[in-house]
Amino acid sequence: MSAPEGPFVIGVDSSTQSTKALVVDAATGQVVSRGQAPHTVSPGDRRESDPEEWWQALRTAVGQCGRAAGEAAAVSVAGQQHGLVTLDGAGDPVRPALLWNDVRSAPQRDRLVADLGGPTAWAERVGSVPAPAFTVTKWAWLRENEPEAARSTAAVRLPHDFLTERLTGQPGTDRGDASGTGWWSSATGSYDTQILELAGLDPALLPPVLGSGEAAGTVRETGDGLLPAGTLVATGTGDNMAAALGLGLLPGQPVLSLGTSGTVYAVSSRRPADPSGTVAGFADAHTGWLPLACTLNCTLAVDRMAALLSRDREDVEPGGRVTALPFLDGERTPDLPYATGLLSGLQHATTGGQVLQAAYDGAVFALLRALDLVLAEGGDPAAAQEAPLLLIGGGAKGTAWRETVRRLSGRAVQVPSAQELVALGAAAQAAGLLLGEDPGAVARRWRTAQGASYEPVARDDDALARLSATLEGAGALLGRRP
């Protein structure tokens, strides 16, 4: 490893389960040191976390980076999107934060969508039709179910806003993370006062939306030695926006993120507005857009199928006519919230490895259908067809995942060697602020998207046709309430 050239920057990824911190050489992208600390998420239907634990995890993770952290000239925090953080007048949490995957606000979502005039009105104004993940639905839920907590709230923040404000002592957010709240209008670039009125939220409780390349402030003098007072602090952003920054994405470059859930997105110069609600019309962390779609059933669902079959996750076999739709937890894309897993085409000769391969096929099929919609919303699907698919997330390390994507897409695939892309994206944002550069250009200079490349193979149209026919034929069954 070559000697660092400096200056150093810190990128923080505050995710649902943990906080990761990287100290990165701003000149080369070399990771100098790293730290990590876990979070606690409440079990069951209440998906909540204590924001104070996020702050302590950030302190622990940065502290594990050692002397290099104290030498950093700038820091940026990326965080899980959509979470509702409510603070009192002293800046302390009123209650645990409602996380993105807490869906108790589904009834409030339905009411809000109707009250504004339906999905098309939301898409035109916000760029997205809100799901129960969105912050606006969570605030409406809080007002109806915990009115005393709502009345005690003096400030409403997103997870990354809360941590950035703890560092600087000043409120602020960015357009990327704000675009996932449901109350920031992508059409006007500002908070939507009518939506705030419908949700019953005073705009004075919200932070200002800072511009790209603008500083959130500097580390305040706290006397605890976490970071030197005066260290530059970037605006931060949401985790998906940070991952796009971390890859240095250019418009039309498609990404498949293979995690517990699957996510597909691409940077676009055209503002997305999908009235079906399939594609979320997020802003990116710079001046463009990040159309994104999410499937619920990805690596976790396939791993569960492997466990049911008592097989290793890589123990797949070709052949056979079996088809699987592994919608084990319902599905978001396609919109089948009451779906269950489905197997068809079983024969006496069908092997367990063929069933497992069918589960991979079903998960990748749903992702690729979602990607087609994302690229259409991005405005230039033809150009995007020329670029390789970037595979990231835990599943990208698996041979079966990679080969299934190649076979069902018929496209070249690239697996970046860089890890912890959210934290790297935050570091690129900090470096861009420090050096006066476009953070995406910084990441491209760091060559974060480079990695193993795989040439295209012939697309398996037969498997795709079986999957399409199975989904179409079982649509009524899959959508039926339990």
Side-chain angles (χ1 to χ4, degrees):
M1 184 180 294
S2 60
E5 299 176 17
F8 292 166
V9 294
I10 298 174
V12 175
D13 170 15
S14 180
S15 70
T16 310
Q17 302 292 339
S18 68
T19 292
K20 299 175 183 177
L22 301 180
V23 178
V24 180
D25 184 335
T28 66
Q30 177 184 331
V31 177
V32 178
S33 61
R34 65 187 74 221
Q36 182 172 351
H39 301 164
T40 302
V41 179
S42 60
D45 294 337
R46 300 174 65 88
R47 310 299 291 172
E48 302 178 349
S49 286
D50 181 0
E52 292 290 353
E53 188 177 36
W54 300 339
W55 173 241
Q56 294 306 318
L58 184 150
R59 291 172 48 80
T60 299
V62 170
Q64 290 173 358
C65 293
R67 181 184 301 175
E71 298 174 3
V75 60
S76 178
V77 179
Q80 54 181 304
Q81 286 187 252
H82 308 305
L84 175 67
V85 181
T86 51
L87 306 176
D88 62 21
D92 298 321
V94 171
R95 70 178 311 284
L98 292 165
L99 305 185
W100 65 274
N101 52 355
D102 188 312
V103 295
R104 286 176 288 171
S105 60
Q108 289 74 30
R109 183 275 310 271
D110 293 344
R111 176 180 62 77
L112 286 168
V113 169
D115 286 352
L116 193 65
T120 298
W122 279 90
E124 289 175 349
R125 296 171 70 153
V126 174
S128 303
V129 181
F134 279 44
T135 327
V136 65
T137 72
K138 299 181 187 306
W139 174 257
W141 179 91
L142 190 72
R143 289 187 71 241
E144 292 180 25
N145 291 274
E146 299 181 12
E148 185 55 40
R151 284 191 292 269
S152 300
T153 298
V156 170
R157 301 291 185 261
L158 294 165
H160 109 261
D161 304 341
F162 168 76
L163 294 169
T164 300
E165 192 168 338
R166 279 291 176 93
L167 288 170
T168 65
Q170 301 176 41
T173 191
D174 87 305
R175 66 191 291 272
D177 215 2
S179 68
T181 60
W183 53 56
W184 184 85
S185 168
S186 65
T188 65
S190 60
Y191 293 129
D192 189 303
T193 54
Q194 183 181 357
I195 291 174
L196 290 172
E197 184 176 347
L198 290 175
L201 179 60
D202 182 349
L205 273 60
L206 298 175
V209 180
L210 305 174
S212 175
E214 191 174 352
T218 58
V219 174
R220 59 180 170 175
E221 182 63 68
T222 60
D224 60 9
L226 173 64
L227 291 169
T231 301
L232 199 59
V233 182
T235 59
T237 193
D239 52 3
N240 288 302
M241 296 79 194
L245 272 187
L247 289 166
L249 286 188
L250 292 169
Q253 172 65 71
V255 176
L256 275 70
S257 180
L258 306 172
T260 300
S261 59
T263 306
V264 289
Y265 55 84
V267 170
S268 172
S269 57
R270 188 178 82 173
R271 184 179 79 91
D274 175 17
S276 77
T278 300
V279 178
F282 295 143
D284 69 6
H286 193 39
T287 58
W289 306 97
L290 193 72
L292 177 150
C294 179
T295 65
L296 292 181
N297 295 280
C298 196
T299 61
L300 189 65
V302 172
D303 284 352
R304 179 58 181 152
M305 291 288 286
L308 288 171
L309 295 164
S310 299
R311 301 180 83 91
D312 182 88
R313 64 175 61 132
E314 293 288 341
D315 193 11
V316 296
E317 297 175 24
R321 304 288 297 175
V322 65
T323 299
L325 296 175
F327 301 158
L328 305 189
D329 295 301
E331 187 46 74
R332 177 168 167 178
T333 309
D335 185 17
L336 297 167
Y338 306 109
T340 55
L342 179 68
L343 280 174
S344 68
L346 285 170
Q347 297 176 315
H348 191 83
T350 302
T351 67
Q354 290 170 346
V355 173
L356 181 57
Q357 180 60 68
Y360 276 98
D361 285 5
V364 170
F365 167 72
L367 273 172
L368 292 176
R369 282 169 57 100
L371 180 62
D372 288 342
L373 297 171
V374 164
L375 296 179
E377 277 298 313
D380 197 0
Q385 289 295 332
E386 302 299 320
L389 298 177
L390 291 181
L391 297 190
I392 65 172
K397 303 173 185 177
T399 301
W401 278 109
R402 182 188 70 233
E403 294 307 307
T404 303
V405 171
R406 292 178 73 205
R407 181 171 55 81
L408 294 187
S409 70
R411 297 180 55 164
V413 164
Q414 186 168 319
V415 182
S417 55
Q419 303 295 310
E420 298 163 354
L421 286 166
V422 174
L424 270 179
Q429 188 185 60
L433 176 64
L434 181 67
L435 303 174
E437 295 184 42
D438 172 359
V442 170
R444 290 189 288 275
R445 188 176 73 239
W446 292 352
R447 300 180 177 179
T448 52
Q450 287 193 349
S453 296
Y454 303 88
E455 293 299 314
V457 298
R459 191 174 67 183
D460 190 345
D461 289 328
D462 182 56
L464 291 170
R466 291 200 312 272
L467 283 158
S468 294
T470 301
L471 180 61
E472 182 178 350
L477 174 66
L478 288 170
R480 188 178 301 159
R481 286 178 179 266

